Amino acid sequence: MKVGEAIAKKSLLEKRIDKISRRIRSDLVSSNESRREVLFSGIKDLAAAENELQDLNRNIQTTISQLKVSGNTLISIIEKIKSLERLASYLEGIEDFIELNVNRKESLPVDLKTMRSEIDSLRKSENSLSSVLDSVYWLVDIQEEGSG
């Protein structure tokens, strides 16, 4: 299984766990003697799905921690993407605030054109790194913890 497939499966498992949890809560509300078996079955399903999700998360993390792209670990690339996204979002918030609250006749505290250029550059770097990450995810096989 490729890392990208594992990540997609992880998302499906999280949705399945949420659905089972809602079903269990619903069964608890309408619980009677005949529903007890259904309730226990739901709890078993939930435990199995949680265990599968934990194993999958562990294998994804094991794989990601061992991979390097151009000398950088995948974890450092993921953190760089998050950092670029946060910085770009922060600057976009400042840009929006300035555009909404500063009279055009006033002198602006920053050059919005330069700021927009910096935001675009950050987003371009973020997208470039995300593309590299996505490519790696669909090329690399998942490794089970302890193998490698």
Side-chain angles (χ1 to χ4, degrees):
M1 174 186 323
K2 302 293 183 199
V3 174
E5 292 172 288
I7 291 170
K9 184 176 181 179
K10 175 184 167 188
S11 177
L12 291 173
L13 273 170
E14 288 167 343
K15 289 176 185 173
R16 182 170 152 221
I17 288 168
D18 185 54
K19 184 178 178 181
I20 294 169
S21 296
R22 285 193 315 265
R23 189 181 77 216
I24 290 171
R25 282 191 297 274
S26 173
D27 288 345
L28 282 171
V29 170
S30 63
S31 186
N32 58 35
E33 215 42 50
S34 65
R35 303 285 296 161
R36 182 176 291 181
E37 191 173 313
V38 172
L39 182 63
F40 286 129
S41 172
I43 292 170
K44 285 181 186 177
D45 290 347
L46 181 64
E50 255 322 312
N51 288 335
E52 187 177 356
L53 180 61
Q54 285 177 2
D55 290 344
L56 193 57
N57 278 331
R58 198 171 23 259
N59 292 339
I60 289 170
Q61 291 306 315
T62 297
T63 303
I64 287 174
S65 69
Q66 294 176 2
L67 287 174
K68 289 192 176 193
V69 176
S70 300
N72 297 303
T73 64
L74 244 50
I75 291 173
S76 68
I77 292 172
I78 291 167
E79 290 305 315
K80 180 67 175 176
I81 291 168
K82 289 177 184 177
S83 175
L84 290 167
E85 196 282 325
R86 281 191 306 269
L87 184 55
S89 292
Y90 178 70
L91 290 175
E92 286 168 340
I94 292 171
E95 179 187 43
D96 290 345
F97 178 82
I98 291 170
E99 287 178 345
L100 291 172
N101 295 295
V102 176
N103 184 334
R104 291 290 169 199
K105 294 178 184 171
E106 295 178 33
S107 112
L108 297 175
V110 295
D111 178 18
L112 286 179
K113 189 174 183 178
T114 303
M115 182 180 272
R116 175 44 47 199
S117 176
E118 180 63 24
I119 292 168
D120 290 344
S121 175
L122 289 167
R123 290 293 185 197
K124 184 176 180 182
S125 295
E126 176 190 349
N127 290 337
S128 177
L129 285 173
S130 291
S131 293
V132 168
L133 193 61
D134 287 344
S135 295
V136 169
Y137 281 169
W138 292 103
L139 293 173
V140 175
D141 288 320
I142 196 85
Q143 296 177 15
E144 292 187 22
E145 188 179 44
S147 69

